[in-house]
Amino acid sequence: MKTVTLIRGEHKGEEIMVVNFDFDKTIEDHLIGFPNLKRNSSSGKFYLKNTAKNLGLLFHHLRKIRCYVDYSELSQKQVETPVKRKRLFLPPIDSFHKKDLIRFRRWLEEKRLSPHTVNTYVEVTHFFVRYSILKKSKNYSRDLVESFNYDFIVCEGKSVSYQNQCINGIKKYFLFKGMDIGALDLIRPKKEKKLPVVLSKAEVRSLMDVTHNVKHRTLLSLVYSGGLRIGEAIQLKVDDIDSKRMLIHIRGGKGKKDRYTLLSQSFLETLRQYYRQYQPKVYLFEGQNSATYSTSSAQWVLRNAVLRAGIRKEVSLHTLRHSFATHLLENGTDIRYIQELLGHSSPKTTMIYTHVTENSIKNISNPFDDL
């Protein structure tokens, strides 16, 4: 049996699979004309986009001429990704469940959960209830949750984080309904342990330099210089800035905890310029049609700055917070102080920054240098 090996490659920034085999006229003739298959003009190798669908089609195509297809060198993640099925359409919710979800929202608000968490839990529960209507199920069983998880989350290619949010929301809904969630044994999947993306100080400076709007530059500078979450930044009030003690008072942060963080002397000059120009009354950053600036507007500001600065990393507003913590650690700040500034409950959360600091990596001697 002839062997064809599929090797992972890249062409013009796109992941491809290269079809590798010892020259054989039968295989070559059989491959010519295969949909979307291209050929490198210099090497003569066949290749196509690396997707689960293409892999399946090519596999069956080569099996027609009794070829053994070795795809072990392809990305395991790509091989295991299921082919996306036909989109799942959920029926509209009925009046009974609509009223039930309104009561569920009020119940969550009474628990004093954050508005963002309440909206997320109600949204995912709304999808789950519509799914139960689709399945004509009157009982909220573990099987129904697992079926919803597979059809609505796994097959739709949604993230592990979103899957956890769905399970958390459904658990809260079951508690609201007075159901024994312990008996259902709903388990959340483990998150991938990814290191945070961190910008260098030069990259942070370039973001500020290309942001000419005073309000936008002040917002980005605040998030970085104080290590704030974006929700904390847009909820900040004018009175929370303590320029005498050079501190910023964060009220009701994550976990409903108050804390203080640093007020940079350099940032204070930018802040005063912003205040003179915009004259905010209550909240430091006020929206055009709302009391506070919106998160989506803040995200747009950052995206625009990243494009202008030519930064190719996957940057979010939280990246500025990660960068603040990492730069403090690189400057020799005790990790316990960083934990307090960030508002982390556990030092384990803060310890992740020890894995991305430039100093700790630079101090390691590379064995290649000793050859």
Side-chain angles (χ1 to χ4, degrees), residues 222 228 231-253 258-263 267-268 271 275 281-285:
L222 172 67
L228 305 187
E232 295 168 345
I234 61 180
Q235 289 296 321
L236 207 63
K237 295 183 177 180
V238 175
D239 295 340
D240 293 331
I241 303 296
D242 189 343
S243 58
K244 291 183 179 178
R245 298 171 63 205
M246 295 304 292
L247 294 173
I248 302 172
H249 192 181
I250 311 300
R251 303 176 191 271
D258 286 8
R259 74 179 191 279
Y260 284 99
T261 189
L262 307 175
L263 175 60
F267 168 66
L268 185 58
L271 185 60
Y275 184 82
K281 299 296 185 293
V282 180
Y283 290 96
L284 193 59
F285 298 102

Tab-separated table of all heavy atoms in Angstrom, residues 222 228 231-253 258-263 267-268 271 275 281-285:
chain	number	residue	atom	x	y	z
A	222	LEU	N	-5.060	55.618	31.839
A	222	LEU	CA	-5.584	55.249	33.156
A	222	LEU	C	-5.597	53.734	33.338
A	222	LEU	O	-5.164	53.216	34.375
A	222	LEU	CB	-6.998	55.813	33.331
A	222	LEU	CG	-7.740	55.340	34.588
A	222	LEU	CD1	-7.073	55.887	35.839
A	222	LEU	CD2	-9.207	55.760	34.545
A	228	LEU	N	-6.141	48.809	35.829
A	228	LEU	CA	-7.576	48.656	36.058
A	228	LEU	C	-8.233	47.703	35.072
A	228	LEU	O	-7.785	47.549	33.940
A	228	LEU	CB	-8.278	50.020	35.945
A	228	LEU	CG	-7.771	51.162	36.827
A	228	LEU	CD1	-8.703	52.356	36.702
A	228	LEU	CD2	-7.668	50.720	38.274
A	231	GLY	N	-14.162	47.751	33.347
A	231	GLY	CA	-15.375	48.063	34.101
A	231	GLY	C	-15.101	49.000	35.264
A	231	GLY	O	-15.910	49.876	35.594
A	232	GLU	N	-13.927	48.835	35.887
A	232	GLU	CA	-13.532	49.714	36.994
A	232	GLU	C	-13.226	51.116	36.483
A	232	GLU	O	-13.554	52.111	37.133
A	232	GLU	CB	-12.309	49.134	37.701
A	232	GLU	CG	-12.576	47.799	38.388
A	232	GLU	CD	-11.314	47.091	38.846
A	232	GLU	OE1	-10.219	47.475	38.388
A	232	GLU	OE2	-11.435	46.150	39.645
A	233	ALA	N	-12.600	51.192	35.314
A	233	ALA	CA	-12.217	52.495	34.752
A	233	ALA	C	-13.436	53.341	34.406
A	233	ALA	O	-13.484	54.537	34.717
A	233	ALA	CB	-11.342	52.288	33.523
A	234	ILE	N	-14.437	52.724	33.759
A	234	ILE	CA	-15.592	53.523	33.323
A	234	ILE	C	-16.569	53.811	34.472
A	234	ILE	O	-17.430	54.680	34.342
A	234	ILE	CB	-16.339	52.858	32.139
A	234	ILE	CG1	-16.878	51.477	32.519
A	234	ILE	CG2	-15.439	52.764	30.924
A	234	ILE	CD1	-17.624	50.789	31.399
A	235	GLN	N	-16.420	53.089	35.592
A	235	GLN	CA	-17.258	53.368	36.768
A	235	GLN	C	-16.575	54.331	37.738
A	235	GLN	O	-17.150	54.711	38.759
A	235	GLN	CB	-17.590	52.058	37.496
A	235	GLN	CG	-18.562	51.151	36.766
A	235	GLN	CD	-19.940	51.771	36.609
A	235	GLN	OE1	-20.444	52.441	37.516
A	235	GLN	NE2	-20.562	51.550	35.454
A	236	LEU	N	-15.357	54.738	37.404
A	236	LEU	CA	-14.591	55.616	38.280
A	236	LEU	C	-15.232	57.010	38.332
A	236	LEU	O	-15.631	57.558	37.303
A	236	LEU	CB	-13.154	55.724	37.757
A	236	LEU	CG	-12.057	56.020	38.771
A	236	LEU	CD1	-11.963	54.893	39.793
A	236	LEU	CD2	-10.723	56.188	38.054
A	237	LYS	N	-15.323	57.556	39.522
A	237	LYS	CA	-15.887	58.893	39.693
A	237	LYS	C	-14.765	59.923	39.896
A	237	LYS	O	-13.643	59.563	40.282
A	237	LYS	CB	-16.853	58.916	40.884
A	237	LYS	CG	-18.082	58.041	40.657
A	237	LYS	CD	-19.060	58.132	41.814
A	237	LYS	CE	-20.309	57.302	41.531
A	237	LYS	NZ	-21.290	57.359	42.637
A	238	VAL	N	-15.084	61.165	39.641
A	238	VAL	CA	-14.099	62.243	39.767
A	238	VAL	C	-13.510	62.264	41.174
A	238	VAL	O	-12.296	62.429	41.364
A	238	VAL	CB	-14.746	63.607	39.432
A	238	VAL	CG1	-13.761	64.740	39.679
A	238	VAL	CG2	-15.246	63.622	37.989
A	239	ASP	N	-14.362	62.030	42.181
A	239	ASP	CA	-13.916	62.076	43.580
A	239	ASP	C	-13.031	60.891	43.962
A	239	ASP	O	-12.454	60.888	45.060
A	239	ASP	CB	-15.131	62.121	44.522
A	239	ASP	CG	-15.937	63.402	44.358
A	239	ASP	OD1	-15.367	64.379	43.830
A	239	ASP	OD2	-17.120	63.413	44.750
A	240	ASP	N	-12.937	59.892	43.100
A	240	ASP	CA	-12.103	58.725	43.407
A	240	ASP	C	-10.624	58.980	43.137
A	240	ASP	O	-9.775	58.145	43.449
A	240	ASP	CB	-12.572	57.507	42.594
A	240	ASP	CG	-13.948	57.026	43.013
A	240	ASP	OD1	-14.295	57.218	44.198
A	240	ASP	OD2	-14.672	56.473	42.168
A	241	ILE	N	-10.307	60.104	42.530
A	241	ILE	CA	-8.912	60.460	42.261
A	241	ILE	C	-8.378	61.270	43.450
A	241	ILE	O	-8.872	62.372	43.745
A	241	ILE	CB	-8.779	61.297	40.970
A	241	ILE	CG1	-9.386	60.544	39.773
A	241	ILE	CG2	-7.324	61.644	40.707
A	241	ILE	CD1	-8.696	59.260	39.422
A	242	ASP	N	-7.413	60.715	44.154
A	242	ASP	CA	-6.811	61.380	45.323
A	242	ASP	C	-5.411	61.848	44.939
A	242	ASP	O	-4.427	61.122	45.093
A	242	ASP	CB	-6.755	60.396	46.496
A	242	ASP	CG	-6.356	61.067	47.802
A	242	ASP	OD1	-5.818	62.193	47.745
A	242	ASP	OD2	-6.561	60.456	48.869
A	243	SER	N	-5.327	63.084	44.427
A	243	SER	CA	-4.049	63.593	43.943
A	243	SER	C	-3.094	63.969	45.080
A	243	SER	O	-1.885	64.066	44.868
A	243	SER	CB	-4.271	64.812	43.033
A	243	SER	OG	-4.969	65.826	43.727
A	244	LYS	N	-3.615	64.161	46.284
A	244	LYS	CA	-2.743	64.475	47.425
A	244	LYS	C	-1.974	63.239	47.878
A	244	LYS	O	-0.789	63.318	48.206
A	244	LYS	CB	-3.580	65.037	48.581
A	244	LYS	CG	-4.164	66.420	48.289
A	244	LYS	CD	-4.925	66.961	49.481
A	244	LYS	CE	-5.489	68.360	49.162
A	244	LYS	NZ	-6.269	68.892	50.304
A	245	ARG	N	-2.648	62.117	47.908
A	245	ARG	CA	-1.991	60.870	48.313
A	245	ARG	C	-1.486	60.077	47.116
A	245	ARG	O	-0.891	59.020	47.280
A	245	ARG	CB	-2.981	60.009	49.120
A	245	ARG	CG	-3.462	60.663	50.400
A	245	ARG	CD	-4.588	59.876	51.041
A	245	ARG	NE	-4.151	58.547	51.436
A	245	ARG	CZ	-4.961	57.497	51.573
A	245	ARG	NH1	-6.261	57.638	51.304
A	245	ARG	NH2	-4.500	56.341	51.947
A	246	MET	N	-1.771	60.579	45.896
A	246	MET	CA	-1.357	59.927	44.648
A	246	MET	C	-1.903	58.498	44.569
A	246	MET	O	-1.178	57.547	44.255
A	246	MET	CB	0.154	59.949	44.489
A	246	MET	CG	0.734	61.352	44.332
A	246	MET	SD	-0.003	62.278	42.948
A	246	MET	CE	0.616	61.344	41.552
A	247	LEU	N	-3.208	58.385	44.855
A	247	LEU	CA	-3.881	57.086	44.828
A	247	LEU	C	-5.199	57.200	44.064
A	247	LEU	O	-5.791	58.281	43.975
A	247	LEU	CB	-4.165	56.590	46.253
A	247	LEU	CG	-2.954	56.247	47.129
A	247	LEU	CD1	-3.410	55.952	48.548
A	247	LEU	CD2	-2.191	55.055	46.555
A	248	ILE	N	-5.647	56.076	43.534
A	248	ILE	CA	-6.955	55.975	42.893
A	248	ILE	C	-7.781	55.004	43.718
A	248	ILE	O	-7.340	53.878	43.992
A	248	ILE	CB	-6.842	55.464	41.445
A	248	ILE	CG1	-5.950	56.382	40.613
A	248	ILE	CG2	-8.214	55.327	40.804
A	248	ILE	CD1	-5.639	55.853	39.223
A	249	HIS	N	-8.970	55.416	44.124
A	249	HIS	CA	-9.847	54.575	44.944
A	249	HIS	C	-10.784	53.779	44.032
A	249	HIS	O	-11.639	54.351	43.357
A	249	HIS	CB	-10.651	55.451	45.905
A	249	HIS	CG	-11.351	54.671	46.961
A	249	HIS	ND1	-12.153	55.251	47.924
A	249	HIS	CD2	-11.373	53.327	47.227
A	249	HIS	CE1	-12.637	54.324	48.724
A	249	HIS	NE2	-12.192	53.147	48.315
A	250	ILE	N	-10.616	52.481	44.012
A	250	ILE	CA	-11.496	51.596	43.232
A	250	ILE	C	-12.586	51.090	44.157
A	250	ILE	O	-12.315	50.398	45.144
A	250	ILE	CB	-10.714	50.394	42.642
A	250	ILE	CG1	-9.446	50.854	41.931
A	250	ILE	CG2	-11.609	49.589	41.709
A	250	ILE	CD1	-9.676	51.803	40.786
A	251	ARG	N	-13.824	51.424	43.841
A	251	ARG	CA	-14.949	51.026	44.694
A	251	ARG	C	-15.728	49.887	44.033
A	251	ARG	O	-16.088	49.978	42.863
A	251	ARG	CB	-15.887	52.209	44.929
A	251	ARG	CG	-15.197	53.423	45.538
A	251	ARG	CD	-16.162	54.589	45.657
A	251	ARG	NE	-15.476	55.826	45.985
A	251	ARG	CZ	-15.230	56.234	47.230
A	251	ARG	NH1	-15.632	55.490	48.242
A	251	ARG	NH2	-14.591	57.371	47.447
A	252	GLY	N	-15.988	48.847	44.817
A	252	GLY	CA	-16.810	47.738	44.324
A	252	GLY	C	-16.219	47.056	43.115
A	252	GLY	O	-16.911	46.821	42.126
A	253	GLY	N	-14.925	46.731	43.173
A	253	GLY	CA	-14.283	45.998	42.082
A	253	GLY	C	-14.776	44.566	42.030
A	253	GLY	O	-15.787	44.219	42.643
A	258	ASP	N	-13.325	46.900	47.609
A	258	ASP	CA	-12.680	48.201	47.395
A	258	ASP	C	-11.163	48.017	47.500
A	258	ASP	O	-10.685	47.127	48.208
A	258	ASP	CB	-13.130	49.210	48.453
A	258	ASP	CG	-14.549	49.699	48.218
A	258	ASP	OD1	-15.221	49.140	47.333
A	258	ASP	OD2	-14.989	50.614	48.924
A	259	ARG	N	-10.424	48.886	46.816
A	259	ARG	CA	-8.967	48.864	46.945
A	259	ARG	C	-8.413	50.204	46.464
A	259	ARG	O	-9.143	51.022	45.888
A	259	ARG	CB	-8.355	47.720	46.143
A	259	ARG	CG	-8.340	47.922	44.629
A	259	ARG	CD	-7.682	46.749	43.929
A	259	ARG	NE	-7.418	47.013	42.514
A	259	ARG	CZ	-8.310	46.908	41.541
A	259	ARG	NH1	-9.550	46.550	41.838
A	259	ARG	NH2	-7.980	47.169	40.279
A	260	TYR	N	-7.154	50.406	46.699
A	260	TYR	CA	-6.436	51.558	46.173
A	260	TYR	C	-5.392	51.075	45.177
A	260	TYR	O	-4.806	50.006	45.346
A	260	TYR	CB	-5.733	52.335	47.291
A	260	TYR	CG	-6.652	53.187	48.119
A	260	TYR	CD1	-7.109	52.743	49.360
A	260	TYR	CD2	-7.067	54.442	47.672
A	260	TYR	CE1	-7.955	53.524	50.139
A	260	TYR	CE2	-7.914	55.230	48.441
A	260	TYR	CZ	-8.362	54.764	49.668
A	260	TYR	OH	-9.197	55.538	50.427
A	261	THR	N	-5.166	51.876	44.151
A	261	THR	CA	-4.078	51.587	43.226
A	261	THR	C	-3.315	52.882	42.967
A	261	THR	O	-3.700	53.953	43.452
A	261	THR	CB	-4.589	50.967	41.912
A	261	THR	OG1	-3.461	50.514	41.138
A	261	THR	CG2	-5.399	51.949	41.091
A	262	LEU	N	-2.234	52.781	42.204
A	262	LEU	CA	-1.323	53.908	42.013
A	262	LEU	C	-1.895	54.988	41.091
A	262	LEU	O	-2.572	54.678	40.115
A	262	LEU	CB	-0.004	53.405	41.417
A	262	LEU	CG	0.708	52.264	42.147
A	262	LEU	CD1	1.923	51.821	41.343
A	262	LEU	CD2	1.116	52.700	43.553
A	263	LEU	N	-1.594	56.243	41.436
A	263	LEU	CA	-1.872	57.370	40.545
A	263	LEU	C	-0.522	57.897	40.058
A	263	LEU	O	0.266	58.431	40.848
A	263	LEU	CB	-2.642	58.471	41.281
A	263	LEU	CG	-2.891	59.766	40.500
A	263	LEU	CD1	-3.710	59.492	39.242
A	263	LEU	CD2	-3.586	60.796	41.385
A	267	PHE	N	0.763	60.584	34.542
A	267	PHE	CA	-0.635	60.476	34.115
A	267	PHE	C	-1.467	61.623	34.678
A	267	PHE	O	-2.413	62.094	34.038
A	267	PHE	CB	-1.222	59.140	34.558
A	267	PHE	CG	-2.718	59.060	34.411
A	267	PHE	CD1	-3.309	59.095	33.157
A	267	PHE	CD2	-3.531	58.984	35.529
A	267	PHE	CE1	-4.693	59.045	33.012
A	267	PHE	CE2	-4.910	58.933	35.399
A	267	PHE	CZ	-5.485	58.963	34.133
A	268	LEU	N	-1.112	62.100	35.876
A	268	LEU	CA	-1.871	63.168	36.513
A	268	LEU	C	-1.892	64.425	35.645
A	268	LEU	O	-2.911	65.122	35.567
A	268	LEU	CB	-1.271	63.486	37.890
A	268	LEU	CG	-2.033	64.509	38.743
A	268	LEU	CD1	-3.474	64.064	38.983
A	268	LEU	CD2	-1.310	64.720	40.076
A	271	LEU	N	-4.398	63.766	32.980
A	271	LEU	CA	-5.729	63.788	33.586
A	271	LEU	C	-6.217	65.225	33.803
A	271	LEU	O	-7.388	65.532	33.550
A	271	LEU	CB	-5.699	63.023	34.915
A	271	LEU	CG	-7.029	62.836	35.637
A	271	LEU	CD1	-8.015	62.057	34.771
A	271	LEU	CD2	-6.814	62.119	36.973
A	275	TYR	N	-9.463	66.981	32.247
A	275	TYR	CA	-10.509	67.547	33.101
A	275	TYR	C	-10.833	68.988	32.692
A	275	TYR	O	-12.001	69.383	32.645
A	275	TYR	CB	-10.068	67.497	34.565
A	275	TYR	CG	-11.131	67.982	35.526
A	275	TYR	CD1	-12.154	67.128	35.941
A	275	TYR	CD2	-11.137	69.295	35.990
A	275	TYR	CE1	-13.144	67.562	36.799
A	275	TYR	CE2	-12.126	69.744	36.855
A	275	TYR	CZ	-13.129	68.870	37.251
A	275	TYR	OH	-14.124	69.316	38.105
A	281	LYS	N	-18.698	65.715	35.394
A	281	LYS	CA	-19.410	66.104	36.614
A	281	LYS	C	-19.345	65.027	37.704
A	281	LYS	O	-18.907	65.272	38.814
A	281	LYS	CB	-20.870	66.407	36.273
A	281	LYS	CG	-21.051	67.546	35.277
A	281	LYS	CD	-20.558	68.863	35.835
A	281	LYS	CE	-20.842	70.019	34.884
A	281	LYS	NZ	-20.078	69.949	33.628
A	282	VAL	N	-19.812	63.819	37.375
A	282	VAL	CA	-19.861	62.739	38.369
A	282	VAL	C	-18.844	61.655	38.026
A	282	VAL	O	-17.878	61.435	38.760
A	282	VAL	CB	-21.276	62.134	38.460
A	282	VAL	CG1	-21.297	61.016	39.502
A	282	VAL	CG2	-22.294	63.210	38.808
A	283	TYR	N	-19.077	61.006	36.895
A	283	TYR	CA	-18.151	59.956	36.462
A	283	TYR	C	-16.995	60.578	35.680
A	283	TYR	O	-17.171	61.569	34.963
A	283	TYR	CB	-18.872	58.917	35.607
A	283	TYR	CG	-19.834	58.066	36.389
A	283	TYR	CD1	-21.186	58.383	36.440
A	283	TYR	CD2	-19.389	56.953	37.101
A	283	TYR	CE1	-22.080	57.609	37.167
A	283	TYR	CE2	-20.273	56.165	37.836
A	283	TYR	CZ	-21.610	56.508	37.858
A	283	TYR	OH	-22.487	55.746	38.591
A	284	LEU	N	-15.828	59.990	35.825
A	284	LEU	CA	-14.646	60.533	35.167
A	284	LEU	C	-14.790	60.511	33.651
A	284	LEU	O	-14.412	61.446	32.962
A	284	LEU	CB	-13.412	59.739	35.602
A	284	LEU	CG	-12.053	60.346	35.272
A	284	LEU	CD1	-11.893	61.719	35.913
A	284	LEU	CD2	-10.921	59.415	35.725
A	285	PHE	N	-15.388	59.414	33.139
A	285	PHE	CA	-15.599	59.290	31.694
A	285	PHE	C	-17.100	59.165	31.438
A	285	PHE	O	-17.696	58.123	31.715
A	285	PHE	CB	-14.852	58.074	31.127
A	285	PHE	CG	-13.365	58.164	31.303
A	285	PHE	CD1	-12.734	57.454	32.314
A	285	PHE	CD2	-12.598	58.972	30.479
A	285	PHE	CE1	-11.367	57.546	32.496
A	285	PHE	CE2	-11.224	59.061	30.651
A	285	PHE	CZ	-10.607	58.353	31.665
